[in-house]
Each structure stands twice: as C-alpha cells, then as structure tokens.
Amino acid sequence: MSDFINSGWALFVAATTVLGLVLCLVLLAIASRRKVMADDNTTGHVWDEDLRELNNPLPRWWMWLFVITVVFAAVYLAFYPGLGSHPGTLKWSSTGQYEAEQKKAEAALAPVYAKFAPMTAEQLARDTAAMGIGQRLYLNNCAQCHGSDARGSKGFPNLADTDWLGAGTHDYVKQVIVQGRVGMMPPMAAAVGSAEDVRNVANYVLSLSGSAHNNIAAEMGKAKFGTCAGCHGADGKGNAALGAPNLTDKIWLHGWGEQAIVNIITNGKNNAMPAQGRLLTPEQVHVLGAYVWSLSQGTRVAAQ
C-alpha cells in the first residue's frame, strides 16, 4: 500500500491530466482541418447506391464550445485541487469548507449555548429547551448504537437505567462522550481451570443475581470465582473505578445464560465507544451529557 501514497503518484495524476487536455486540443486541431477528398466534397464512400459521406468541417459553435470546455478545465485546475497533490491557488479543500461551515454554525448557536453553560445537570434536566437540544444531539450522534429510546441492545449499554459501568455522574458522562471508552475483559479460562470449572463459575455468576442455575455447579464454582474477584469484587458487585460490571443484578450486556457467560470467560470481550469530542463542541457535550444523565434519573430530577 505504501506505493499508493508515494509522491510519484501525484505527479503521474497531474501529468496525465495535463496531457489529456493537450491531446483534446490536438484532436480538435486535426479534426478541424478539412481536406478535399473528391470534387463533390465527399469522402468517396458510397452506401446503398446513392448514400455518400460528406466531408464537411466541424460546426464553428461546436468547435468553440469544445475549446471553451478545455479552457474552463485548465482554469479550474489552476484554482482548485485536481492536479495530483497541487492544492490550487485558492487553497480550497472540502475539509476547509466543512470546518468553515462548522465555525459559522457554532458562532450562530453560541448565544443559545451560552445560556446553558453555567447550569448544572439538574438545572439542565428541568429546562425544556435544553432537553430538546440534548435530545436532537443524542439522536444525531448516539442513537445509532444506543437506540432512539436509549435502551441499547446486546453489546450496547442501556442508558435509561441506573446500571453504570462507571461513576454515572454528569461529569463522567461528559468524559466518556469526549474521550470514548474501551471496555476489556481478558480471556480467563486458563486461569479458572478446566472447561468444567468454567461452567461451574458461570453457574455461580448466575446464582449471584438469582438467575436460573445449577446449584451443585454453582457451589463448586464459588471457590474458582476468586479469579474474577480481582475486578468484580468478592461479592460480585463490580468496581466502577475499573468499569467492571455488577454481576449481582440481572442486567446482561453481552447475553444471558450459562453458555453466554462461558463464552465471555473463555474468549474475553472488547467493547469500544468511539470518542465524540472531535465532532461536538464543549457546549454541546455539556448539554448532551445532561440529557443522557437525565435518562437514568427517572422522575427524581423533575420533582426537585
């Protein structure tokens, strides 16, 4: 792949483009030269006894339109990028135009967000306008993974409940939006023991939340759960500082049941939320974070 980012390719594209324009003019010059081929101004070709091919010159309007097209292309390539890596004299780029439009939009919205900047999450949650803006930001940037109702799906956390892998505060939500988050559980089957030990631990994990399980297997897996306690805690209630989930509730992000837990212990899991800080301004993050935070608060905030 390194060959395709070599500067030689830029020169090749530029040379091919310029040569193509020159050849267009050469072709036009050749085609515009009328050569008398017969006394009756025909090429000498006859079909169907009396159908003759005339040797008329190109219409002037067509010829000049062709010339104007080539000149326009040359002027365009001088001002705008198109000749390999040459940026053009106007230095225009789609990225630059996008950033300019973003700045224009941010300037227009600055007075709106200025009102929300000093407000706390609780105050924002009670502000109808702020929540309306937060909802639109959520639908545009978060709903693709977490769902339009924010209840997530397998592998995508539910944002409308109180089960947070982290602190669950407004500041925490804003931090995750800006920086993203990587959740990782390493494969633990080798540390747990045999395949039977893994199944026993899976049943013990199910027992922690009162889910259907094999009592005998769960009792045998209790001792082996010590391997998992380093992250999930001896009581299985998780560790928000590490992002280790609570195993004692009945919230299963990656699937429920013995086999699902066996798969996680055996293969581990990597989950990543991409950082959104490049796409959103700090003011937008402040409002969006409050909206996401409010989803898990129910009626508590509204009642204050």
Side-chain angles (χ1 to χ4, degrees):
M1 291 297 293
S2 60
D3 291 341
F4 291 94
I5 59 175
N6 188 287
S7 59
W9 284 105
L11 295 175
F12 172 77
V13 170
T16 302
T17 303
V18 172
L19 181 61
L21 292 177
V22 172
L23 289 178
C24 284
L25 293 176
V26 171
L27 177 62
L28 179 61
I30 294 174
S32 65
R33 292 182 178 180
R34 185 167 67 97
K35 182 179 180 180
V36 178
M37 304 182 71
D39 294 336
D40 58 356
N41 193 37
T42 67
T43 62
H45 299 156
V46 181
W47 295 273
D48 295 335
E49 298 183 359
D50 60 352
L51 183 60
R52 291 175 172 79
E53 180 183 0
L54 296 178
N55 186 36
N56 291 329
L58 293 172
R60 285 185 177 275
W61 67 266
W62 189 95
M63 182 183 69
W64 284 111
L65 185 62
F66 196 99
V67 172
I68 291 172
T69 302
V70 174
V71 172
F72 174 83
V75 172
Y76 179 91
L77 292 172
F79 285 112
Y80 294 96
L83 292 176
S85 59
H86 178 62
T89 56
L90 295 181
K91 307 298 182 183
W92 179 92
S93 69
S94 57
T95 301
Q97 182 170 339
Y98 169 77
E99 291 175 349
E101 292 176 355
Q102 284 290 95
K103 290 179 180 178
K104 184 178 179 180
E106 290 170 11
L109 292 173
V112 177
Y113 285 106
K115 170 188 173 183
F116 303 134
M119 298 172 67
T120 64
E122 290 81 0
Q123 292 171 331
L124 288 170
R126 293 193 293 270
D127 190 295
T128 304
M131 290 299 94
I133 293 174
Q135 182 183 44
R136 299 313 304 174
L137 289 171
Y138 172 84
L139 292 174
N140 289 335
N141 297 278
C142 315
Q144 294 84 351
C145 294
H146 295 284
S148 59
D149 59 358
R151 296 188 180 279
S153 61
K154 185 177 180 181
F156 301 98
N158 182 352
L159 303 178
D161 59 16
T162 57
D163 184 66
W164 291 92
L165 295 177
T169 63
H170 182 214
D171 287 337
Y172 172 77
V173 175
K174 291 196 296 182
Q175 176 185 325
V176 173
I177 293 173
V178 173
Q179 300 178 5
R181 183 180 183 278
V182 176
M184 188 274 291
M185 173 178 165
M188 298 297 293
V192 170
S194 65
E196 183 178 357
D197 290 330
V198 171
R199 286 193 296 272
N200 292 339
V201 170
N203 276 277
Y204 178 71
V205 170
L206 288 169
S207 73
L208 293 175
S209 61
S211 301
H213 63 280
N214 184 313
N215 290 328
I216 297 176
E219 189 62 31
M220 295 176 65
K222 184 176 182 179
K224 290 289 186 177
F225 181 75
T227 307
C228 314
C231 293
H232 295 282
D235 56 2
K237 292 186 178 296
N239 187 328
L242 296 176
N246 181 358
L247 303 178
T248 65
D249 56 22
K250 291 188 177 182
I251 298 175
W252 304 95
L253 180 59
H254 301 293
W256 173 88
E258 178 184 316
Q259 190 56 50
I261 299 174
V262 167
N263 290 340
I264 292 291
I265 296 173
T266 303
N267 303 318
K269 193 69 181 180
N270 283 288
N271 250 28
M273 172 181 161
Q276 303 293 313
R278 186 176 60 85
L279 303 176
L280 300 169
T281 65
E283 294 79 12
Q284 289 175 322
V285 171
H286 184 64
V287 176
L288 174 58
Y291 174 77
V292 172
W293 174 82
S294 72
L295 295 174
S296 63
Q297 303 305 304
T299 59
R300 183 182 69 81
V301 174
Q304 292 180 350

